[in-house]
Structures are given as structure tokens and as C-alpha cells.
Amino acid sequence: RHKSNPGSIASGLQATSVTSIPATLASAQLAAPQIHMCSREDIEAALRGERGIMDFPRLLCPRKRDTIKSAMALICDNAAGGALICIATARSFRQVFAEADDDTDKKTPAIRVCDGGYMTQRLKGVHIKDLAFAQAFREFTEHSETDCWPEDYADASARGLPKDGAFLIASGGYRLKCAAKLLGLPPPGCWENKGTKHEAALACAAAVTGCCVLVRSDGGAVHLVMREKDTLHVFSLDSDV
């Protein structure tokens, strides 16, 4: 049974007063990411420490390893379309992102929810392992012509709201922000033949200390993106790299 602490999780990013990202990130242009082909089972084994994948970063926090495994299950087994999940400590996110408003400088890394906070509120205190999280995530990733919640959706407060953006998850498995646009991050390098969702995955993994990012394309290809020192590593669970 998971013990929640909704207060600290809900306020995890609201105390931010960031004016710029660290100089080391702003000035460093990382090389193209290193692509590694592997299976889901390989990654799960590496997370358990049973066998190594070349260049797989060492993760010391058991809760974070468990959260990555749960996020991988979400994105592989529950997502109905493209999706983006970013996992790090609330502190690491705060060090990079501010809360976006109308006066936010476009060059300042910031987070802006695109649904008025609906998904963030819906998943308040819900652990990533809970069935309620999986159900909400699946519904969020079910795309349509408008990419919005259906006008006949059971929850009237969701109707017509956009279904877009990333899920920011704390290392302990609780959401920080959902349906979040990641604004103002410098491009860390080139990921050929990939779109804006994958570019956002690279940028977040590069900028946020210890961040692990899972990205799923609309076609179903899944990648795990992690940074080790000055190198971005992409672990591809599909032949489409």
C-alpha cells in the first residue's frame, strides 16, 4: 500500500523562482545522443542490477528504479498513443523550471499546463502503480481528430480540454505536473528523424539533473532517455530509431 503525501507533491514545482537555467546547460551543446538497442526485459534487469546494459547509468535510489519500471509499464502497456513521462526529484525540476505565466520570458525554461490543471488535480495523491493512474493515463493518450477530451466524457469538467503535454513524476512515484508543456529548454543536440516530443525528451533529460525520460511515438516506438555526464543515452525498445 502506497503512502501518499499530496501536499508536498502538489506544491513541488510552485515554489520555483528560476530566471535562467544553469550556465553549464545554457552554454553546452551536447553531441548527438548515443542510441542503444535493447529490450524491455534488458532495461528491467538493469534496473534490478541483475545484468548490465552498456552505458546504462547507475541508479542508486530504489524508489526511483521502481518508478521507472512502473512508468515503462504505463507507456508500453497502457498508452493508447504518443506519450512523454519525465522522472526526477521535485528539487531537480525546480532548479530548472519556473511556473509559466503571460509575463514569462520565452527564453526562461518554464512549465505551462495546457488543461488548466485538470490532470494534475485528477491524479493528486495517486501513485503511479495505482490502477486509477493507469486508467487516467490511457484515457489521456487516446487521441482523436481534436486531441481533446470528448464533449460527452463522463467528467464534465474535462470536456473539450486538450490532451497534450508531459507527465512530470517525482522519484517516489507521485505526479508533480500533468499535461505540461516544457518551454524554453535549449536544444541539446540533434535526434535525426524525430519530432518535437522526442526533442523535448532529449532537452529535459539534458537539463534536469538525474532525469529519466520515457517517450512513446504515435506509432508505438518507445525510448528511454538518460544523461550520463556530458552524454545523452537513448535506449530504444524498438527498431525504429
Side-chain angles (χ1 to χ4, degrees), residues 53-153:
I53 300 176
M54 184 177 294
D55 296 317
F56 195 88
R58 187 181 181 191
L59 301 173
L60 298 179
C61 176
R63 291 195 307 165
K64 184 175 182 180
R65 294 197 300 265
D66 194 48
T67 297
I68 294 170
K69 181 180 177 181
S70 298
M72 193 157 55
L74 270 183
I75 214 162
C76 292
D77 302 334
N78 294 100
L84 181 63
I85 302 176
C86 308
I87 302 164
T89 64
R91 180 180 181 182
S92 292
F93 282 121
R94 284 198 303 267
Q95 288 174 337
V96 174
F97 292 108
E99 290 280 347
D101 55 35
D102 293 338
D103 297 324
T104 301
D105 188 324
K106 291 183 178 180
K107 295 182 180 180
T108 300
I111 293 171
R112 175 180 288 130
V113 295
C114 62
D115 64 353
Y118 168 73
M119 283 299 292
T120 301
Q121 181 60 32
R122 177 173 173 176
L123 293 176
K124 180 179 180 180
V126 182
H127 194 269
I128 194 172
K129 283 187 174 182
D130 290 347
L131 292 177
F133 200 114
Q135 177 64 28
F137 187 78
R138 180 168 184 82
E139 292 178 354
F140 180 85
T141 57
E142 289 175 344
H143 295 302
S144 64
E145 291 184 1
T146 62
D147 278 342
C148 293
W149 290 93
E151 293 296 340
D152 60 351
Y153 185 65

Side-chain angles (χ1 to χ4, degrees), residues 16-235:
T16 308
S17 58
V18 177
T19 56
S20 63
I21 63 173
T24 54
L25 296 176
S27 61
Q29 181 78 5
L30 301 180
Q34 299 294 310
I35 308 294
H36 309 273
M37 297 299 301
C38 58
S39 68
R40 175 177 172 180
E41 292 73 20
D42 289 333
I43 293 178
E44 291 177 348
L47 290 171
R48 294 192 300 267
E50 292 181 0
R51 64 176 183 266
I53 300 176
M54 184 177 294
D55 296 317
F56 195 88
R58 187 181 181 191
L59 301 173
L60 298 179
C61 176
R63 291 195 307 165
K64 184 175 182 180
R65 294 197 300 265
D66 194 48
T67 297
I68 294 170
K69 181 180 177 181
S70 298
M72 193 157 55
L74 270 183
I75 214 162
C76 292
D77 302 334
N78 294 100
L84 181 63
I85 302 176
C86 308
I87 302 164
T89 64
R91 180 180 181 182
S92 292
F93 282 121
R94 284 198 303 267
Q95 288 174 337
V96 174
F97 292 108
E99 290 280 347
D101 55 35
D102 293 338
D103 297 324
T104 301
D105 188 324
K106 291 183 178 180
K107 295 182 180 180
T108 300
I111 293 171
R112 175 180 288 130
V113 295
C114 62
D115 64 353
Y118 168 73
M119 283 299 292
T120 301
Q121 181 60 32
R122 177 173 173 176
L123 293 176
K124 180 179 180 180
V126 182
H127 194 269
I128 194 172
K129 283 187 174 182
D130 290 347
L131 292 177
F133 200 114
Q135 177 64 28
F137 187 78
R138 180 168 184 82
E139 292 178 354
F140 180 85
T141 57
E142 289 175 344
H143 295 302
S144 64
E145 291 184 1
T146 62
D147 278 342
C148 293
W149 290 93
E151 293 296 340
D152 60 351
Y153 185 65
D155 186 347
S157 64
R159 295 172 185 171
L161 294 176
K163 297 196 291 183
D164 190 21
F167 281 62
L168 273 59
I169 308 295
S171 297
Y174 292 94
R175 66 75 182 129
L176 295 169
K177 293 289 183 182
C178 304
K181 291 187 177 181
L182 310 180
L183 309 174
L185 289 176
C190 178
W191 191 351
E192 293 185 357
N193 303 317
K194 295 299 178 185
T196 55
K197 188 183 279 92
H198 291 73
E199 290 178 356
L202 278 188
C204 190
V208 179
T209 301
C211 190
C212 301
V213 183
L214 281 154
V215 57
R216 176 185 171 117
S217 68
D218 291 336
V222 175
H223 300 85
L224 171 64
V225 187
M226 305 169 76
R227 178 175 178 173
E228 178 75 3
K229 296 182 179 179
D230 292 332
T231 303
L232 283 166
H233 296 280
V234 174
F235 300 93

